[in-house]
Amino acid sequence: MPSALKPTIAPLPAAAQLKLPALTPRKRQPPRQTLPSPKTPPLSSPPDLTNLTFTPPLRSILSPHDHTVFLESQTYTLVLAFVFSLSEAAADKKITSITLESQPPVIQRISSIISSIASLIDSNPPIDQGASRFGNPAFREFIDAISSELPTYQSRLQLPSATAADEVSTYLLHSFGSRERIDYGSGHELNFILWLLCLNRLSLLPLETFPALSLLIIPQYVHLLRRIQSTYYLEPAGSHGVWGLDDYHFLPFLIGASQLLHHPYITPLAIHNELVLEEEGDEYLYLDMVRYTMATKTVKGLKWTQPMLDDISGAKNWEKVEQGMRRMFVKEVLGKLPIMQHFLFGSLIPAAEGMGQSEGLGQSPGRDVDPTHDEAMLDDGHGGAGHIHRDGDTAWGDCCGIKIPSTVAAAQEDRKHGHQETFRRVPFD
């Protein structure tokens, strides 16, 4: 039987061989250099109150120069040390590992203040505004009710003087949203932390109370805000959500990542497991935030609603997540001028020398802005900082974004009208 003919390949002409490109190995891309994770600075001792004159908190970051001065100031280090210390205090701890009954009286008083503010929601119900998903005007009456009760709240804390109470209460008042714009965002959450920082500066909250602040007080505050947001349909301050993680909050993710640092079986990828969220969400802030986000969105899937959270879930471990949250707080919060121009400074959280002396961003030239005076606040979108736009009431700058309806309101309205939950591929609310 004749053997099969083997095909023959004719060699290329010499001229063609000269035109072939040389085979060179690909150069490997150098590994991407990530910024080092910010360390926790030592928390300074509280100031000597005998030589301290309490003052109403006001804006002092009015220009890029002021912001640069702030980033090199002791106050910047103080805020960083306090926030990171709160996060470290929650490391590897469950929420239920601490009970309110076992805490010192100051923690119980702070908790009672938050509970009293929650009770004001019942006495200031939302007004009927049809199917609108924008902010409910009854929220302004709710904020006014908090303002009228502030002296009572602060008296529970036994502050050293009436002027001290006035300074500290400014931060608390602006911790629940903007009365003018009926929204809530980064500045309001930060104001609540600054309220706690003021109490620390008054020696009312020593380091021993930090675990209780992180695992009792802050979760209680977050749950109160959820009720406020769902009752009054607070709009997210700005048009991008809070740092791309959540429409309203950020710090619970930092503290929650610290809680899970060395967890034996819950990995970052577990946020996509509904059973894990259901069983462990009451113990860990990070999981609780994801669970609530998924429950209140009319679009199913984190990749549609919170793509940054979806990306973070691919991290190798919780240490990577926690380090990333630290970098995000430094870069995207304290390092962003549009946010920090609304930061309030008083005697307990002082401005550095030379700040606030130039006319600048968001403030009319030559006009003093009092954060407690509504006439001076054409827009109070970031913690009641007396923000004023040069281009009129309807021209929102980079700091404020555009007015967008509440996604919590979208879910609430769907439930009211008996709409069935369906998967929608275009995530617009």
Side-chain angles (χ1 to χ4, degrees), residues 274 294-305 421-424:
E274 293 187 8
M294 296 178 65
T296 55
K297 295 293 184 179
T298 58
V299 179
K300 297 302 179 183
L302 287 177
K303 67 178 181 180
W304 298 110
T305 58
E421 293 186 358
T422 57
F423 184 85
R424 295 164 51 198

PDB file of all heavy atoms in Angstrom, residues 274 294-305 421-424:
ATOM      1  N   GLU A 274     -25.870  36.149  50.254  1.00  0.00           N
ATOM      2  CA  GLU A 274     -26.988  36.689  51.024  1.00  0.00           C
ATOM      3  C   GLU A 274     -27.149  35.975  52.362  1.00  0.00           C
ATOM      4  O   GLU A 274     -27.606  36.580  53.338  1.00  0.00           O
ATOM      5  CB  GLU A 274     -28.280  36.593  50.207  1.00  0.00           C
ATOM      6  CG  GLU A 274     -28.289  37.492  48.971  1.00  0.00           C
ATOM      7  CD  GLU A 274     -29.644  37.513  48.283  1.00  0.00           C
ATOM      8  OE1 GLU A 274     -30.611  36.956  48.858  1.00  0.00           O
ATOM      9  OE2 GLU A 274     -29.742  38.082  47.187  1.00  0.00           O
ATOM     10  N   MET A 294     -28.468  46.582  49.608  1.00  0.00           N
ATOM     11  CA  MET A 294     -29.137  45.654  48.706  1.00  0.00           C
ATOM     12  C   MET A 294     -30.647  45.626  48.935  1.00  0.00           C
ATOM     13  O   MET A 294     -31.428  45.412  48.005  1.00  0.00           O
ATOM     14  CB  MET A 294     -28.548  44.259  48.869  1.00  0.00           C
ATOM     15  CG  MET A 294     -27.082  44.165  48.460  1.00  0.00           C
ATOM     16  SD  MET A 294     -26.368  42.520  48.717  1.00  0.00           S
ATOM     17  CE  MET A 294     -27.309  41.537  47.558  1.00  0.00           C
ATOM     18  N   ALA A 295     -31.070  45.876  50.176  1.00  0.00           N
ATOM     19  CA  ALA A 295     -32.502  45.834  50.496  1.00  0.00           C
ATOM     20  C   ALA A 295     -33.230  47.087  50.037  1.00  0.00           C
ATOM     21  O   ALA A 295     -34.447  47.049  49.838  1.00  0.00           O
ATOM     22  CB  ALA A 295     -32.691  45.637  51.997  1.00  0.00           C
ATOM     23  N   THR A 296     -32.519  48.192  49.881  1.00  0.00           N
ATOM     24  CA  THR A 296     -33.176  49.456  49.575  1.00  0.00           C
ATOM     25  C   THR A 296     -33.016  49.888  48.127  1.00  0.00           C
ATOM     26  O   THR A 296     -33.569  50.923  47.738  1.00  0.00           O
ATOM     27  CB  THR A 296     -32.632  50.580  50.475  1.00  0.00           C
ATOM     28  OG1 THR A 296     -31.202  50.647  50.335  1.00  0.00           O
ATOM     29  CG2 THR A 296     -32.985  50.328  51.923  1.00  0.00           C
ATOM     30  N   LYS A 297     -32.297  49.140  47.331  1.00  0.00           N
ATOM     31  CA  LYS A 297     -32.134  49.494  45.931  1.00  0.00           C
ATOM     32  C   LYS A 297     -33.200  48.818  45.091  1.00  0.00           C
ATOM     33  O   LYS A 297     -33.591  47.676  45.338  1.00  0.00           O
ATOM     34  CB  LYS A 297     -30.740  49.072  45.426  1.00  0.00           C
ATOM     35  CG  LYS A 297     -29.580  49.817  46.083  1.00  0.00           C
ATOM     36  CD  LYS A 297     -29.586  51.281  45.701  1.00  0.00           C
ATOM     37  CE  LYS A 297     -28.365  51.989  46.286  1.00  0.00           C
ATOM     38  NZ  LYS A 297     -28.317  53.406  45.931  1.00  0.00           N
ATOM     39  N   THR A 298     -33.684  49.535  44.083  1.00  0.00           N
ATOM     40  CA  THR A 298     -34.650  48.949  43.154  1.00  0.00           C
ATOM     41  C   THR A 298     -33.955  48.202  42.029  1.00  0.00           C
ATOM     42  O   THR A 298     -34.612  47.624  41.168  1.00  0.00           O
ATOM     43  CB  THR A 298     -35.552  50.043  42.559  1.00  0.00           C
ATOM     44  OG1 THR A 298     -34.732  51.023  41.905  1.00  0.00           O
ATOM     45  CG2 THR A 298     -36.375  50.710  43.641  1.00  0.00           C
ATOM     46  N   VAL A 299     -32.628  48.222  42.028  1.00  0.00           N
ATOM     47  CA  VAL A 299     -31.835  47.476  41.059  1.00  0.00           C
ATOM     48  C   VAL A 299     -31.056  46.414  41.817  1.00  0.00           C
ATOM     49  O   VAL A 299     -30.412  46.704  42.816  1.00  0.00           O
ATOM     50  CB  VAL A 299     -30.860  48.402  40.291  1.00  0.00           C
ATOM     51  CG1 VAL A 299     -30.031  47.600  39.306  1.00  0.00           C
ATOM     52  CG2 VAL A 299     -31.621  49.498  39.584  1.00  0.00           C
ATOM     53  N   LYS A 300     -31.101  45.188  41.378  1.00  0.00           N
ATOM     54  CA  LYS A 300     -30.432  44.095  42.073  1.00  0.00           C
ATOM     55  C   LYS A 300     -29.010  43.940  41.522  1.00  0.00           C
ATOM     56  O   LYS A 300     -28.788  43.936  40.316  1.00  0.00           O
ATOM     57  CB  LYS A 300     -31.202  42.795  41.890  1.00  0.00           C
ATOM     58  CG  LYS A 300     -32.601  42.820  42.502  1.00  0.00           C
ATOM     59  CD  LYS A 300     -32.552  43.136  43.993  1.00  0.00           C
ATOM     60  CE  LYS A 300     -33.942  43.177  44.609  1.00  0.00           C
ATOM     61  NZ  LYS A 300     -33.890  43.558  46.021  1.00  0.00           N
ATOM     62  N   GLY A 301     -28.067  43.792  42.440  1.00  0.00           N
ATOM     63  CA  GLY A 301     -26.689  43.569  42.044  1.00  0.00           C
ATOM     64  C   GLY A 301     -25.789  44.744  42.381  1.00  0.00           C
ATOM     65  O   GLY A 301     -26.031  45.873  41.946  1.00  0.00           O
ATOM     66  N   LEU A 302     -24.757  44.491  43.186  1.00  0.00           N
ATOM     67  CA  LEU A 302     -23.834  45.556  43.578  1.00  0.00           C
ATOM     68  C   LEU A 302     -23.100  46.141  42.386  1.00  0.00           C
ATOM     69  O   LEU A 302     -22.684  47.305  42.410  1.00  0.00           O
ATOM     70  CB  LEU A 302     -22.827  45.032  44.605  1.00  0.00           C
ATOM     71  CG  LEU A 302     -23.345  44.773  46.018  1.00  0.00           C
ATOM     72  CD1 LEU A 302     -22.241  44.180  46.879  1.00  0.00           C
ATOM     73  CD2 LEU A 302     -23.874  46.054  46.643  1.00  0.00           C
ATOM     74  N   LYS A 303     -22.890  45.350  41.347  1.00  0.00           N
ATOM     75  CA  LYS A 303     -22.152  45.872  40.197  1.00  0.00           C
ATOM     76  C   LYS A 303     -22.905  46.998  39.513  1.00  0.00           C
ATOM     77  O   LYS A 303     -22.315  47.807  38.799  1.00  0.00           O
ATOM     78  CB  LYS A 303     -21.839  44.760  39.202  1.00  0.00           C
ATOM     79  CG  LYS A 303     -23.043  44.165  38.507  1.00  0.00           C
ATOM     80  CD  LYS A 303     -22.605  43.094  37.511  1.00  0.00           C
ATOM     81  CE  LYS A 303     -23.803  42.496  36.786  1.00  0.00           C
ATOM     82  NZ  LYS A 303     -23.376  41.455  35.815  1.00  0.00           N
ATOM     83  N   TRP A 304     -24.216  47.053  39.720  1.00  0.00           N
ATOM     84  CA  TRP A 304     -25.008  48.136  39.152  1.00  0.00           C
ATOM     85  C   TRP A 304     -25.134  49.314  40.113  1.00  0.00           C
ATOM     86  O   TRP A 304     -25.125  50.474  39.684  1.00  0.00           O
ATOM     87  CB  TRP A 304     -26.422  47.628  38.809  1.00  0.00           C
ATOM     88  CG  TRP A 304     -26.471  46.556  37.785  1.00  0.00           C
ATOM     89  CD1 TRP A 304     -26.804  45.239  37.979  1.00  0.00           C
ATOM     90  CD2 TRP A 304     -26.197  46.676  36.384  1.00  0.00           C
ATOM     91  NE1 TRP A 304     -26.749  44.546  36.807  1.00  0.00           N
ATOM     92  CE2 TRP A 304     -26.386  45.407  35.799  1.00  0.00           C
ATOM     93  CE3 TRP A 304     -25.821  47.741  35.567  1.00  0.00           C
ATOM     94  CZ2 TRP A 304     -26.198  45.177  34.443  1.00  0.00           C
ATOM     95  CZ3 TRP A 304     -25.634  47.513  34.220  1.00  0.00           C
ATOM     96  CH2 TRP A 304     -25.811  46.243  33.665  1.00  0.00           C
ATOM     97  N   THR A 305     -25.322  49.031  41.384  1.00  0.00           N
ATOM     98  CA  THR A 305     -25.631  50.087  42.343  1.00  0.00           C
ATOM     99  C   THR A 305     -24.411  50.646  43.059  1.00  0.00           C
ATOM    100  O   THR A 305     -24.312  51.841  43.278  1.00  0.00           O
ATOM    101  CB  THR A 305     -26.626  49.562  43.396  1.00  0.00           C
ATOM    102  OG1 THR A 305     -26.054  48.418  44.050  1.00  0.00           O
ATOM    103  CG2 THR A 305     -27.935  49.155  42.746  1.00  0.00           C
ATOM    104  N   GLU A 421     -40.800  43.414  42.947  1.00  0.00           N
ATOM    105  CA  GLU A 421     -39.385  43.647  42.685  1.00  0.00           C
ATOM    106  C   GLU A 421     -38.973  42.896  41.430  1.00  0.00           C
ATOM    107  O   GLU A 421     -39.192  41.696  41.290  1.00  0.00           O
ATOM    108  CB  GLU A 421     -38.533  43.170  43.865  1.00  0.00           C
ATOM    109  CG  GLU A 421     -38.748  44.008  45.115  1.00  0.00           C
ATOM    110  CD  GLU A 421     -37.793  43.604  46.214  1.00  0.00           C
ATOM    111  OE1 GLU A 421     -37.007  42.662  45.989  1.00  0.00           O
ATOM    112  OE2 GLU A 421     -37.831  44.226  47.285  1.00  0.00           O
ATOM    113  N   THR A 422     -38.390  43.611  40.502  1.00  0.00           N
ATOM    114  CA  THR A 422     -37.910  43.011  39.267  1.00  0.00           C
ATOM    115  C   THR A 422     -36.495  43.476  39.005  1.00  0.00           C
ATOM    116  O   THR A 422     -36.068  44.517  39.492  1.00  0.00           O
ATOM    117  CB  THR A 422     -38.803  43.405  38.072  1.00  0.00           C
ATOM    118  OG1 THR A 422     -38.848  44.830  37.970  1.00  0.00           O
ATOM    119  CG2 THR A 422     -40.223  42.873  38.254  1.00  0.00           C
ATOM    120  N   PHE A 423     -35.775  42.706  38.222  1.00  0.00           N
ATOM    121  CA  PHE A 423     -34.398  43.061  37.887  1.00  0.00           C
ATOM    122  C   PHE A 423     -34.410  44.083  36.762  1.00  0.00           C
ATOM    123  O   PHE A 423     -34.972  43.840  35.699  1.00  0.00           O
ATOM    124  CB  PHE A 423     -33.624  41.810  37.454  1.00  0.00           C
ATOM    125  CG  PHE A 423     -32.174  42.089  37.190  1.00  0.00           C
ATOM    126  CD1 PHE A 423     -31.259  42.076  38.228  1.00  0.00           C
ATOM    127  CD2 PHE A 423     -31.741  42.393  35.920  1.00  0.00           C
ATOM    128  CE1 PHE A 423     -29.929  42.347  37.985  1.00  0.00           C
ATOM    129  CE2 PHE A 423     -30.412  42.670  35.673  1.00  0.00           C
ATOM    130  CZ  PHE A 423     -29.502  42.639  36.701  1.00  0.00           C
ATOM    131  N   ARG A 424     -33.820  45.215  37.014  1.00  0.00           N
ATOM    132  CA  ARG A 424     -33.727  46.258  36.008  1.00  0.00           C
ATOM    133  C   ARG A 424     -32.265  46.449  35.656  1.00  0.00           C
ATOM    134  O   ARG A 424     -31.413  46.631  36.507  1.00  0.00           O
ATOM    135  CB  ARG A 424     -34.306  47.570  36.556  1.00  0.00           C
ATOM    136  CG  ARG A 424     -35.781  47.501  36.832  1.00  0.00           C
ATOM    137  CD  ARG A 424     -36.223  48.656  37.713  1.00  0.00           C
ATOM    138  NE  ARG A 424     -35.767  49.931  37.182  1.00  0.00           N
ATOM    139  CZ  ARG A 424     -35.714  51.045  37.898  1.00  0.00           C
ATOM    140  NH1 ARG A 424     -36.047  51.035  39.161  1.00  0.00           N
ATOM    141  NH2 ARG A 424     -35.304  52.168  37.344  1.00  0.00           N
TER     142      ARG A 424
END
